[in-house]
Amino acid sequence: DAGITQSPRHKVTETGTPVTLRCHQTENHRYMYWYRQDPGHGLRLIHYSYGVKDTDKGEVSDGYSVSRSKTEDFLLTLESATSSQTSVYFCAISPGQGPQAQHFGDGTRLSIL
Amino acid sequence: AQTVTQSQPEMSVQEAETVTLSCTYDTSENNYYLFWYKQPPSRQMILVIRQEAYKQQNATENRFSVNFQKAAKSFSLKISDSQLGDTAMYFCAFMKHGTNFGNEKLTFGTGTRLTIIP
């Protein structure tokens, strides 16, 4: 177990409400990532972080923001959720660049009605 | 930008048989890494095997091996003596090599759903 906890595991909410997903790691890894998984698309990168307060956009970042105020926590926020953001969200961590594999959390299933 | 293509959305094979999952990718990079991840029904993402592009030798992990063809930009996964626990979605993924920020991002294919039949 790579020491990654995602919360909540499941959430149902309504369009227009703000939603925050949390990723917590106990590995002290530098890199953290948020992906979304949708049928027919595999996993797509939303945002990632390469250190405290250092973040960057991935390929599907519109409608999402992130924050990392501590090494162990990486938050993903949907400011005003839309039905198109219904998905399974995965957090991943990595110790560094190169061939180190990313280790994934168990995912959060988010449904926006 | 890199792209990863898995052209087999679904496959099935009898238990104990060998199965090969295909993956092709498109990149202008010369140095990079390739990965296969497994996602069983539990939804966990589990690393199966990795390959460094500068290594000519194909990676092997127990019953799992790859056929890496750099010139053809092909990275297939072979599962020998398949077991019921191998039933899962399998994702091929690409990562650039280098020390620039952003090079540690993974690009995934769309996945192949593999079913092992008892």
Side-chain angles (χ1 to χ4, degrees):
Chain A
D1 191 352
I4 310 169
T5 304
Q6 290 187 232
S7 58
R9 292 295 313 278
H10 306 274
K11 186 174 182 66
V12 180
T13 190
E14 294 183 347
T15 300
T17 59
V19 177
T20 295
L21 307 183
R22 180 182 183 233
C23 178
H24 178 77
Q25 61 148 329
T26 59
E27 306 295 321
N28 201 36
H29 285 344
R30 179 178 184 182
Y31 294 91
M32 299 185 76
Y33 310 81
W34 277 108
Y35 294 88
R36 60 177 289 174
Q37 181 179 15
D38 304 289
H41 290 278
L43 278 79
R44 294 179 291 174
L45 183 66
I46 305 171
H47 282 279
Y48 70 105
S49 170
Y50 44 92
V52 174
K53 296 186 179 168
D54 290 323
T55 65
D56 204 353
K57 297 179 180 180
E59 63 177 298
V60 291
S61 59
D62 288 348
Y64 302 94
S65 63
V66 290
S67 65
R68 191 171 179 197
S69 58
K70 298 184 290 185
T71 299
E72 58 266 35
D73 289 326
F74 191 33
L75 304 180
L76 176 71
T77 297
L78 292 65
E79 299 290 348
S80 178
T82 67
S83 58
S84 65
Q85 294 174 311
T86 292
S87 187
V88 178
Y89 291 84
F90 284 95
C91 174
I93 64 174
S94 172
Q97 295 167 324
Q100 295 96 336
Q102 293 180 15
H103 297 282
F104 288 78
D106 291 338
T108 293
R109 181 174 296 278
L110 178 62
S111 298
I112 301 166
L113 307 178
Chain B
Q2 286 63 231
T3 59
V4 178
T5 302
Q6 295 179 250
S7 58
Q8 306 152 311
E10 295 187 15
M11 297 184 71
S12 60
V13 66
Q14 292 289 138
E15 189 177 7
E17 292 186 346
T18 295
V19 61
T20 299
L21 281 59
S22 301
C23 173
T24 59
Y25 56 93
D26 187 23
T27 184
S28 58
E29 303 288 330
N30 188 49
N31 294 320
Y32 48 86
Y33 309 100
L34 296 162
F35 304 84
W36 279 98
Y37 279 87
K38 167 185 177 181
Q39 186 180 43
S42 65
R43 206 169 71 194
Q44 287 182 297
M45 289 289 289
I46 303 165
L47 176 68
V48 175
I49 200 165
R50 81 188 83 188
Q51 174 81 40
E52 289 92 332
Y54 63 86
K55 290 186 177 179
Q56 293 186 338
Q57 185 173 3
N58 289 325
T60 299
E61 290 286 344
N62 300 314
R63 297 184 295 107
F64 298 87
S65 61
V66 299
N67 183 5
F68 173 50
Q69 302 288 329
K70 190 173 183 180
K73 297 180 181 175
S74 172
F75 183 60
S76 61
L77 174 70
K78 185 172 82 171
I79 305 174
S80 304
D81 185 27
S82 57
Q83 301 174 359
L84 297 179
D86 296 333
T87 291
M89 182 75 89
Y90 287 81
F91 292 98
C92 179
F94 173 100
M95 178 190 289
K96 289 195 295 185
H97 168 77
T99 56
N100 294 330
F101 291 128
N103 286 351
E104 59 286 331
K105 294 184 288 186
L106 280 171
T107 300
F108 285 87
T110 53
T112 295
R113 185 175 302 280
L114 176 66
T115 302
I116 308 300
I117 303 166

